Amino acid sequence: NVTVTCEKGKYPPDPKTQVGTFIINLDLPPEQRWTNLAKVMAPKIQLLLDSFKQYVRDWTKAADFIIHFVDTKGGSLDGTLPYPFAGEIKGFAQDSGINLGEMLLYNIFYELFTLCTSIVAEDPSGALYHGRNLDFGLFLGWDIKNATWAITEILRPLIVNLDWQRGGQTVFKSVNFAGYIGVLTAIKPKLFTLTVNERFNIDGGFIGVIKWLLGDHNETWMSFLTRSVMENATSFQDAKTRLEKTVMLAPAYFILGGNSSGQGAVITRSREAAIDVWEMRNASGWYILETNYDHWKAPLIVDDRRGPAHKCMGQMGQQNVGFAGIFNVLSSQPVLNKLTTYTALMHVASGNLITYIQTCKDPCAPW
């Protein structure tokens, strides 16, 4: 049994860990939207891709097949993606000098290797807050000497906040790894917030991705669905319906927060449809929390971030809901672990999104 210490006083963290913002202008043609970011981040993305392929090959034959296929056929596959994604990946590849197939690969693998903790919580006045840790890089190169995950370390410098604008006005904001054009963490100011956690099951992402590579393009990439929801959905309910019904390449958990009391939900997805929609009122009443396991089943005994997170939320109490309280919970081990790349905090009413790079100092849980 791990003794869980719920952190206090961790917020605000060192200002040097706060992530900067790039504007993505949706009025530009897709090929030109990422030019600034591509030029700044190209060397860091190439380093990640080279390391990524080296580690993934050791991990699973399915991953090896995907890498080889995308490396050799990736350029032509890009054209099969829907508008505007094909153009955006192509433009990013051209502006960064990175092979188009590799840029495609980079966008695929976030659908498959992401562990996370997401929390939507309501303060006593009914205001909603949404926080998340994004953990990435499990099984991808444990560095024994430094006791770190190699890919996780290379990823941290790629984290950026994006302000997606149309006509000079913010449509939504997101946290992205530079070069990834989908959405895993985002806020539509005054309307809703969304995070995605990976869901592992036997008919998982590898199956969907391989079907897509072999020519079945009837299913939507999970991260393109979330991006489309952020751009187009007009309310919590509208977003919820779209996230429940669209057929996807990979299963997932969608954690959705709204703008009024009680609007928090975890949508548990198979590739085909929602198999469960869990509402905040049926969770704890004032918060809802998801890691990477179906909420009605026990988590893996070697990866129980859920129990400690619940314990720390209980200690925090509803009266302390806010950026500081949620950041403290997300900074408590093993919710914070060696795979954690960032903590994002969102407040729907103000449209505020703040992201901090996270590193877990030793002694620290590997995941």
Side-chain angles (χ1 to χ4, degrees):
N1 269 350
V2 180
T3 309
V4 178
T5 304
C6 297
E7 297 289 353
K8 293 186 172 59
K10 289 287 182 183
Y11 188 84
D14 182 339
K16 290 201 287 291
T17 64
Q18 191 170 339
V19 170
T21 301
F22 285 79
I23 290 171
I24 303 297
N25 182 354
L26 293 167
D27 295 325
L28 288 173
E31 291 76 9
Q32 295 169 25
R33 292 174 182 174
W34 297 89
T35 302
N36 295 344
L37 191 60
K39 290 187 168 152
V40 171
M41 293 291 192
K44 293 175 181 172
I45 297 172
Q46 190 64 62
L47 171 66
L48 175 68
L49 278 161
D50 294 344
S51 313
F52 199 45
K53 286 156 75 169
Q54 179 188 332
Y55 292 120
V56 166
R57 288 208 164 96
D58 298 336
W59 189 68
T60 163
K61 285 283 182 275
D64 195 28
F65 166 81
I66 292 171
I67 287 174
H68 177 73
F69 199 100
V70 174
D71 267 358
T72 52
K73 308 263 194 332
S76 56
L77 281 170
D78 182 65
T80 66
L81 295 178
Y83 178 89
F85 307 115
E88 289 189 18
I89 292 178
K90 193 173 185 180
F92 204 106
Q94 284 168 347
D95 290 330
S96 63
I98 295 171
N99 171 287
L100 180 56
E102 293 205 332
M103 280 313 303
L104 194 68
L105 182 70
Y106 181 80
N107 276 273
I108 286 176
F109 268 94
Y110 289 104
E111 310 240 339
L112 305 172
F113 284 94
T114 316
L115 296 168
C116 317
T117 302
S118 293
I119 301 166
V120 177
E122 185 174 314
D123 77 6
S125 75
L128 287 165
Y129 291 82
H130 192 153
R132 75 108 96 248
N133 280 358
L134 192 134
D135 304 348
F136 190 94
L138 186 63
F139 308 127
L140 298 178
W142 179 252
D143 178 341
I144 293 170
K145 187 158 138 266
N146 297 308
T148 55
W149 292 98
I151 293 294
T152 311
E153 297 299 305
I154 297 168
L155 266 173
R156 287 195 186 99
L158 288 168
I159 299 165
V160 289
N161 279 355
L162 301 178
D163 185 339
W164 304 73
Q165 297 186 357
R166 200 172 273 128
Q169 300 293 309
T170 297
V171 180
F172 69 97
K173 300 175 187 174
S174 67
V175 191
N176 284 50
F177 295 104
Y180 180 67
I181 64 166
V183 165
L184 299 173
T185 306
I187 180 168
K188 190 148 190 165
K190 299 192 168 29
L191 292 177
F192 59 87
T193 51
L194 173 64
T195 55
V196 183
N197 292 12
E198 189 177 348
R199 179 171 182 253
F200 307 100
N201 78 354
I202 208 75
D203 182 22
F206 280 120
I207 308 276
V209 169
I210 288 170
K211 273 175 67 179
W212 180 83
L213 291 174
L214 296 176
D216 179 349
H217 301 145
N218 295 320
E219 297 169 3
T220 304
W221 290 29
M222 172 271 295
S223 55
F224 293 172
L225 167 60
T226 50
R227 163 92 180 264
S228 158
V229 165
M230 294 314 299
E231 283 191 48
N232 302 308
T234 53
S235 66
F236 172 81
Q237 195 52 55
D238 182 17
K240 196 156 158 278
T241 304
R242 292 171 189 244
L243 293 167
E244 285 173 16
K245 300 206 153 85
T246 309
V247 179
M248 304 187 297
L249 289 186
Y253 300 102
F254 294 128
I255 302 87
L256 190 63
N259 60 3
S260 359
S261 176
Q263 286 189 331
V266 173
I267 301 164
T268 301
R269 281 292 313 257
S270 69
R271 285 175 32 225
E272 290 77 27
I275 56 171
D276 181 78
V277 180
W278 188 34
E279 306 277 354
M280 196 189 319
R281 65 174 178 272
N282 301 325
S284 78
W286 59 273
Y287 77 89
I288 192 163
L289 187 157
E290 177 58 54
T291 58
N292 299 95
Y293 304 96
D294 296 346
H295 68 87
W296 59 93
K297 295 179 185 164
L300 270 183
I301 199 157
V302 294
D303 178 32
D304 183 11
R305 287 161 286 126
R306 182 204 292 172
H310 278 304
K311 178 182 171 183
C312 294
M313 286 298 287
Q315 279 192 20
M316 179 186 87
Q318 187 174 14
Q319 70 280 7
N320 292 313
V321 168
F323 278 6
I326 292 171
F327 189 83
N328 285 333
V329 171
L330 292 170
S331 298
S332 303
Q333 291 194 42
V335 184
L336 175 70
N337 58 70
K338 291 281 190 180
L339 288 168
T340 308
T341 57
Y342 69 74
T343 296
L345 301 167
M346 298 180 280
H347 176 236
V348 72
S350 64
N352 206 0
L353 163 66
I354 309 180
T355 309
Y356 296 100
I357 306 257
Q358 282 272 40
T359 38
C360 187
K361 303 284 186 284
D362 287 324
C364 177
W367 58 77

